[in-house]
Amino acid sequence: MTTAKRDTYTPETLLTVAVRVFNERGYDGTSMEHLSRAAGISKSSIYHHVTGKEELLRRAVSRALDGLFGILDEPGAVRGRAIERVEYVTRRTVEVLMAELPYVTLLLRVRGNTTTERWALERRREFDQRVSELLKAAVADGDLRADVDIRLATRLLFGMVNSLVEWYRPQPDGFPAEDQLADTVVQLAFEGMRASGR
Amino acid sequence: MTTAKRDTYTPETLLTVAVRVFNERGYDGTSMEHLSRAAGISKSSIYHHVTGKEELLRRAVSRALDGLFGILDEPGAVRGRAIERVEYVTRRTVEVLMAELPYVTLLLRVRGNTTTERWALERRREFDQRVSELLKAAVADGDLRADVDIRLATRLLFGMVNSLVEWYRPQPDGFPAEDQLADTVVQLAFEGMRASGR
DNA sequence: GTCTATACCGTGATAGAC
DNA sequence: GTCTATCACGGTATAGAC
């Protein structure tokens, strides 16, 4: 950002383009030819900035994972009653998903064909594990229903949260507001869909 | 099934193998070479049974879509109070996901690069639309909370349900029982995760 | 920093023997 | 019904000019 006008690529700006195409076509469905056309430079020019396709994937999923793991270190996730920490992490996960949408989308679609993909899958499992422990504590406190397997509940909760990447698209006017969507997700997850009167 | 021993392939049996590999490696990440190795026959032999890779995909997603749309025609989905029909469709969707797991998994991962994929995406949207209308009716009856956008609620509900394909694996001993898992999903979706006492 | 040209390999698909 | 041999093409990646 030293120059005012930025018409040459850096690994960062190239990543923005690449991640968009990866999400449109799928990582395996994207060729360097696709990337070069989307970036407006030749295939070989891409190799001047990054070592190859997989480096772009690694940078992208790293960014997503950093965002997610960052949540677990925030005050709201380490202090207070377990149920409140669970809700905090849920809400913040929704927010990170929205803020880092293309990167998290890519992360959630990784299959495990390359070493980078397998590493990403392992780190994701680690994140799930950490969250699962939080839920377990909330059950012990009597704040979450105990009649449901905790691993199952974690998976369903984050299955719901992660499904955001399938349809959420940020609007130019900033609507729907990020915190409002996060509120709705938390509300539905913890209070359910049924009308309050039951 | 006229012959007792079945050691030669039909399009159907070949599909079973192909869908497994598609789900392991992703459709785009799977080559005919991969398929031939998994099937134990040569690449060219595969072309004797099917016209190509895309036909295998088409057969697979068709089967998944047939299963899902079939639900909407069942008595439990067309008769009774809207809220009960919503719960019925939710429960049955879980059951179909489990029963046709590899086919539905593949369906839920298509990106839209080929005509077959775009057709699949369109039919999926159609299914979501039908379900969304059911939810709308349940809200009108006062049985589902009205303070949440109905399209959003539908997406989150089915985001949760569909996330099953990411981790559910049928056990050899038939555990966890299919209907039990479906019950849990319905319970969490409609009553929420919080302990009943609140 | 970007280009053209090219190496080299794996891809989906076909021909034709058995 | 399965095979080997082969095709044309597009894939990732590199070399070297500008």
Side-chain angles (χ1 to χ4, degrees), chain B residues 8 23 41 50 60 63 89 100 104 113 133 142 168:
Chain B
T8 189
N23 283 326
I41 59 177
V50 292
R63 178 159 167 175
V89 169
E100 307 286 345
V104 180
N113 294 338
E133 280 158 18
Y168 174 75

Side-chain angles (χ1 to χ4, degrees), chain A residues 8-193:
Chain A
T8 187
Y9 279 111
T10 66
E12 282 311 300
T13 56
L14 190 57
L15 186 62
T16 307
V17 176
V19 167
R20 197 193 69 231
V21 184
F22 285 160
N23 283 326
E24 282 167 7
R25 310 187 55 90
Y27 177 70
D28 284 321
T30 302
S31 70
M32 294 302 278
E33 181 72 30
H34 291 134
L35 292 183
S36 83
R37 272 203 285 264
I41 58 177
S42 70
K43 279 193 288 181
S44 52
S45 295
I46 295 178
Y47 289 96
H48 178 77
H49 301 288
V50 292
T51 63
K53 206 172 122 176
E54 195 166 359
E55 180 182 332
L56 289 164
L57 179 66
R58 183 159 35 79
R59 282 174 181 269
V61 297
S62 290
R63 178 160 166 173
L65 286 164
D66 286 350
L68 291 175
F69 275 97
I71 296 171
L72 300 179
D73 295 328
E74 292 170 7
V78 292
R79 283 204 284 271
R81 200 171 169 86
I83 179 70
E84 282 157 12
R85 288 190 282 153
V86 169
E87 288 197 19
Y88 179 84
V89 169
T90 304
R91 184 184 318 268
R92 285 290 294 135
T93 299
V94 173
E95 287 167 2
V96 168
L97 250 67
M98 292 189 295
E100 306 286 345
L101 188 67
Y103 304 96
V104 180
T105 302
L106 202 51
L107 172 67
L108 294 177
R109 288 181 181 160
V110 152
R111 302 285 342 129
N113 294 338
T114 65
T115 50
T116 297
E117 295 182 63
R118 283 186 287 274
W119 165 78
L121 286 175
E122 202 180 325
R123 295 227 65 199
R124 265 190 68 191
R125 271 195 293 274
E126 200 182 319
F127 181 80
D128 291 352
Q129 190 66 34
R130 296 274 301 272
V131 175
S132 198
E133 281 157 18
L134 265 185
L135 280 168
K136 199 168 147 193
V139 171
D141 287 352
D143 292 328
L144 282 188
R145 57 198 311 159
D147 59 341
V148 168
D149 177 73
I150 202 61
R151 287 284 298 157
L152 174 55
T154 309
R155 281 165 162 162
L156 291 173
L157 172 61
F158 276 80
M160 176 168 139
V161 169
N162 291 341
S163 72
L164 277 185
V165 304
E166 299 297 332
W167 54 266
Y168 175 73
R169 296 296 175 268
Q171 299 301 315
D173 53 0
F175 187 86
E178 294 195 2
D179 52 352
Q180 192 181 325
L181 180 48
D183 279 346
T184 304
V185 171
V186 170
Q187 204 167 14
L188 280 183
F190 293 94
E191 311 299 339
M193 295 179 61

